[in-house]
Amino acid sequence: MAAANKAVLGPLVGAVDQGTSSTRFLVFNSKTAELLSHHQVELKQEFPKEGWVEQDPKEILNSVYECIEKTCEKLGQLNIDISNIKAIGVSNQRETTVVWDKLTGEPLYNAVVWLDLRTQSTVENLSKRIPGNNNFVKSKTGLPLSTYFSAVKLRWLLDNVRKVQKAVEEERALFGTVDSWLIWCLTGGANGGVHCTDVTNASRTMLFNIHSLEWDKELCEYGTGCFLLCNTGRKCVFSEHGLLTTVAYKLGRDKPVYYALEGSVAIAGAVVRWLRDNLGIIKTSEEIEKLAKEVGTSYGCYFVPAFSGLYAPYWEPSARGIICGLTQFTNRCHIAFAALEAVCFQTREILDAMNRDCGMPLRHLQVDGGMTNNKILMQLQADILYIPVVKPSMPETTALGAAMAAGAAEGVGVWSLDPEDLSAVTVERFEPQINAEESEIRYSTWKKAVMKSMGWVTTQSSESGKNVFIIIATLS
């Protein structure tokens, strides 16, 4: 009888949003795009050596199981029938690399996170040996040679981890980004799990040809955050100002591919976590807004959180984090404010590069994610960009996009992507509240601080002399 009383809301679609800091599972009503329930689990990061960043693939997987279980429990409490969930989409930390044993299902090493810098000497060796170096790779993949992407992480695992080497020799090794690892496990694992990815994740491995949409044979022989994307349509636009060219989406086997220009800020929300976990100046992530509000200024303090070097538009791995402009008057409130400003300044640098590449200045910035709940940050972003910032009332648009794609997939078809069928979205708008001159002064001072952060690290060639070729791409 209880089952008969459960609410019928039409087809539901779930989304796994697996990020560097946390995992979430969210369930949406496909007819209204309403978020019905969700659950979130924070994840650990391991730092075994300077510049190394790892995560436990089993912990990532278990966090997904926990989030799905808890969300379904909450839906039950709301009297919503979970059998109406017709599809699940996956959004994930894209470049993070996992290698596992296809017979046992066990990871052969920790996941090497996109922020990890251990492969810098490999990148430098490749840039010397590959014909045309960076242009050869970028013309095929849209990506510069960088520690950021999966190919060089896989190379390191093949060169340095005996368990991986042995599994490759015995044809037991599977490689993938986090989406591949999760989908393989969720569809059966060692008992027939599906080993796959999609073109958007494949385009971040530095092994995938974004023109032919296939693994590139020549490249396979060589070879966390804030992200700003500009949809360039079906045209593959290459940046001249430090941005990446990436696959935005392809919504079906016979559907066209759409491309985007992307700028990646390595440390955004993670800077708040660093203030909490490393410095201890806040106890919760939400507390940073209160501290920043107390002073309303950084008082000339600038924070460049280049913990893993600088990403777009600089691509400078030698940079390291600095806090400068300190005086005896500076306190933790000013540092908290400077940390929020740092997120905004980095976004401004990417937006400037995007405007130069596209030749059409952005009129407003649409934002999503957990940090958008911080009203001080949103206002700072509008002031520093000197354009309006638009925040949807439902900030989980990354997960919503994954759910929409899953619901609209061939064989599912429960979510219409026809513009006439899409629900209207209410938004909150933040307008610039300072004059343009002040905005430019603060931005130019930030750029001076960025210059000071560069050149702190020289590469130790611990990997030099090793064969930097022959990466085996096991995804088909």
Side-chain angles (χ1 to χ4, degrees):
M1 289 296 291
N5 295 326
K6 288 191 179 292
V8 178
L9 297 175
L12 309 181
V13 181
V16 173
D17 185 358
Q18 203 299 296
T20 318
S21 301
S22 69
T23 297
R24 291 178 291 179
F25 182 66
L26 308 92
V27 174
F28 298 90
N29 184 332
S30 68
K31 299 303 181 186
T32 64
E34 178 189 0
L35 174 59
L36 300 175
S37 185
H38 73 283
H39 189 76
Q40 179 170 349
V41 172
E42 192 166 297
L43 293 172
K44 297 175 189 171
Q45 294 179 46
E46 299 176 24
F47 307 95
K49 292 184 182 180
E50 172 66 29
W52 292 28
V53 188
E54 298 178 359
Q55 289 184 308
D56 181 352
K58 296 293 284 287
E59 183 190 355
I60 292 173
L61 177 63
N62 289 334
S63 73
V64 171
Y65 287 142
E66 180 180 347
C67 286
I68 292 174
E69 181 182 353
K70 296 295 186 184
T71 301
C72 289
E73 287 177 6
K74 293 175 183 178
L75 289 171
Q77 292 165 6
L78 295 169
N79 212 29
I80 296 173
D81 189 353
I82 61 173
S83 68
N84 272 332
I85 299 175
K86 303 303 181 185
I88 294 176
V90 178
S91 170
N92 62 284
Q93 44 171 320
R94 295 165 297 177
E95 301 80 11
T96 297
T97 301
V98 187
V99 178
W100 67 97
D101 189 319
K102 69 179 181 181
L103 300 182
T104 67
E106 290 298 311
L108 297 168
Y109 191 78
N110 272 347
V112 182
V113 176
W114 57 278
L115 287 165
D116 190 279
L117 294 175
R118 75 187 69 185
T119 56
Q120 183 55 34
S121 61
T122 297
V123 169
E124 292 177 1
N125 285 332
L126 282 170
S127 69
K128 294 172 185 173
R129 299 189 187 194
I130 291 178
N133 55 66
N134 202 19
N135 289 333
F136 174 81
V137 174
K138 191 170 184 179
S139 66
K140 290 172 174 284
T141 67
L143 311 174
L145 274 172
S146 170
T147 60
Y148 186 11
F149 307 109
S150 308
V152 288
K153 301 179 193 301
L154 179 57
R155 177 71 267 160
W156 186 91
L157 291 167
L158 289 167
D159 283 342
N160 293 278
V161 181
R162 180 56 194 150
K163 285 172 70 176
V164 173
Q165 295 165 349
K166 193 168 188 295
V168 170
E169 291 164 6
E170 297 173 0
E171 298 186 348
R172 294 183 287 109
L174 294 179
F175 149 71
T177 45
V178 171
D179 62 310
S180 301
W181 162 243
L182 293 179
I183 291 170
W184 186 83
C185 292
L186 292 170
T187 56
N191 298 312
V194 178
H195 187 219
C196 66
T197 189
D198 78 319
V199 291
T200 64
N201 283 287
S203 71
R204 311 298 289 200
T205 62
M206 215 162 66
L207 297 170
F208 188 75
N209 189 309
I210 61 174
H211 307 286
S212 65
L213 303 182
E214 295 175 332
W215 300 109
D216 192 287
K217 291 181 179 179
E218 286 183 284
L219 292 173
C220 288
E221 290 175 0
Y222 285 108
T224 261
C226 169
F227 307 93
L228 185 64
L229 289 94
C230 176
N231 189 330
T232 60
R234 295 167 69 173
K235 183 179 181 182
C236 196
V237 176
F238 286 91
S239 173
E240 295 180 0
H241 301 95
L243 302 180
L244 310 177
T245 303
T246 194
V247 175
Y249 59 90
K250 186 176 187 290
L251 297 174
R253 189 174 289 116
D254 300 319
K255 298 293 176 65
V257 63
Y258 287 79
Y259 297 93
L261 283 173
E262 177 178 324
S264 310
V265 175
I267 304 294
V271 74
V272 179
R273 190 169 174 172
W274 184 80
L275 292 177
R276 183 193 71 187
D277 297 344
N278 292 47
L279 291 194
I281 69 172
I282 54 174
K283 293 181 180 178
T284 66
S285 297
E286 293 74 24
E287 192 181 336
I288 192 171
E289 183 174 8
K290 180 182 176 183
L291 288 184
K293 191 174 182 179
E294 281 185 31
V295 288
T297 176
S298 66
Y299 200 73
C301 172
Y302 285 81
F303 187 168
V304 183
F307 301 151
S308 298
L310 290 167
Y311 283 59
Y314 298 101
W315 299 104
E316 183 48 72
S318 72
R320 285 297 179 272
I322 62 169
I323 302 176
C324 56
L326 301 176
T327 70
Q328 287 179 312
F329 183 73
T330 306
N331 62 33
R332 66 181 188 145
C333 296
H334 299 116
I335 292 174
F337 195 95
L340 295 181
E341 277 191 317
V343 176
C344 303
F345 285 130
Q346 291 176 96
T347 304
R348 166 76 186 267
E349 290 185 311
I350 292 171
L351 188 63
D352 282 358
M354 205 164 275
N355 285 340
R356 289 195 294 271
D357 278 326
C358 295
M360 186 172 13
L362 197 68
R363 293 181 180 177
H364 67 268
L365 179 70
Q366 291 180 263
V367 296
D368 76 332
M371 290 193 79
T372 63
N373 292 322
N374 187 321
K375 293 185 182 295
I376 296 287
L377 177 65
M378 293 297 94
Q379 187 56 57
L380 278 172
Q381 191 68 87
D383 290 344
I384 290 167
L385 296 181
Y386 214 68
I387 58 174
V389 169
V390 177
K391 172 198 166 188
S393 56
M394 201 287 289
E396 305 294 351
T397 50
T398 299
L400 176 59
M404 291 171 72
E410 296 173 26
V412 181
V414 299
W415 202 313
S416 171
L417 298 184
D418 189 315
E420 293 182 359
D421 295 331
L422 299 178
S423 305
V425 177
T426 57
V427 298
E428 186 174 2
R429 191 178 177 94
F430 296 84
E431 299 282 349
Q433 292 183 356
I434 63 175
N435 61 52
E437 183 180 6
E438 181 184 346
S439 179
E440 288 303 319
I441 289 171
R442 285 160 66 176
Y443 181 48
S444 63
T445 309
W446 156 264
K447 292 181 81 68
K448 284 169 59 179
V450 170
M451 293 300 112
K452 299 286 186 185
S453 76
M454 294 184 185
W456 284 84
V457 175
T458 54
T459 304
Q460 296 178 354
S461 57
S462 58
E463 298 171 82
S464 59
K466 292 185 178 178
N467 180 6
V468 295
F469 300 107
I470 315 176
I471 285 179
I472 301 171
T474 63
L475 283 174
S476 57

